[in-house]
């Protein structure tokens, strides 16, 4: 399951409304891709459902996750933060065991087990 904080949900609703998107078919895509100094980076985008997606609903919104990304983001919470460095979505992910200093990439335990073999 993947969920939103109240602030994260509020910002997704604002964006979808400003784009005139149908919240019945559109949502926030949460995925991962290889890259960054720690191995993976988040790929967040507003999108519509695709074949093979896992769909989670929270706060009346949809979170779209492709099958390969699901093990890496399962249990994550999507928040929206505003700070002196800027504003944007932040993923609180219980699967992360290490992150880079800038916070844009991460490593998960499963990756450690594969590296040890």
């Amino acid at each position: 399951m993947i969920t939103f904080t109240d602030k994260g949900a509020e910002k997704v609703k604002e964006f979808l409304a400003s784009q005139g998107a149908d919240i019945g078919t559109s949502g926030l895509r949460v995925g991962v891709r290889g890259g960054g100094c720690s191995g993976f980076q988040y790929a967040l985008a507003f999108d519509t459902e695709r074949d093979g997606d896992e769909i989670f609903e929270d706060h009346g919104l949809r979170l779209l996750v492709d099958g390969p990304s699901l093990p890496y983001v399962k249990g994550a919470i999507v928040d929206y933060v505003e700070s002196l460095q800027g504003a944007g979505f932040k993923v609180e992910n219980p699967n992360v065991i290490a992150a880079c200093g800038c916070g844009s990439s991460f490593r998960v335990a499963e990756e450690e087990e594969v590296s040890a073999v």
Side-chain angles (χ1 to χ4, degrees):
M1 176 106 190
I2 299 172
T3 58
F4 287 111
T5 62
D6 290 342
K7 185 71 169 178
E10 176 186 324
K11 287 298 181 180
V12 169
K13 284 179 185 174
E14 284 177 17
F15 183 82
L16 292 174
S18 74
Q19 298 299 307
D22 177 3
I23 64 169
T25 59
S26 299
L28 181 67
R29 178 168 298 283
V30 180
V32 297
R33 62 180 180 192
C37 50
S38 290
F40 289 107
Q41 292 180 313
Y42 294 107
L44 302 177
F46 293 98
D47 201 359
T48 56
E49 183 179 342
R50 299 180 192 166
D51 287 340
D53 282 347
E54 290 286 335
I55 311 299
F56 300 95
E57 293 193 21
D58 187 45
H59 286 79
L61 297 165
R62 297 160 56 92
L63 292 123
L64 315 169
V65 183
D66 62 276
S69 294
L70 187 58
Y72 301 105
V73 298
K74 198 170 194 174
I77 301 169
V78 179
D79 194 8
Y80 187 85
V81 295
E82 297 174 0
S83 69
L84 294 175
Q85 289 81 25
F89 289 99
K90 179 180 179 185
V91 179
E92 296 291 335
N93 188 341
N95 305 298
V96 171
I97 61 165
C100 67
C102 66
S104 67
S105 67
F106 63 96
R107 189 169 61 238
V108 295
E110 181 178 292
E111 191 180 14
E112 290 291 303
E113 293 169 11
V114 171
S115 299
V117 175

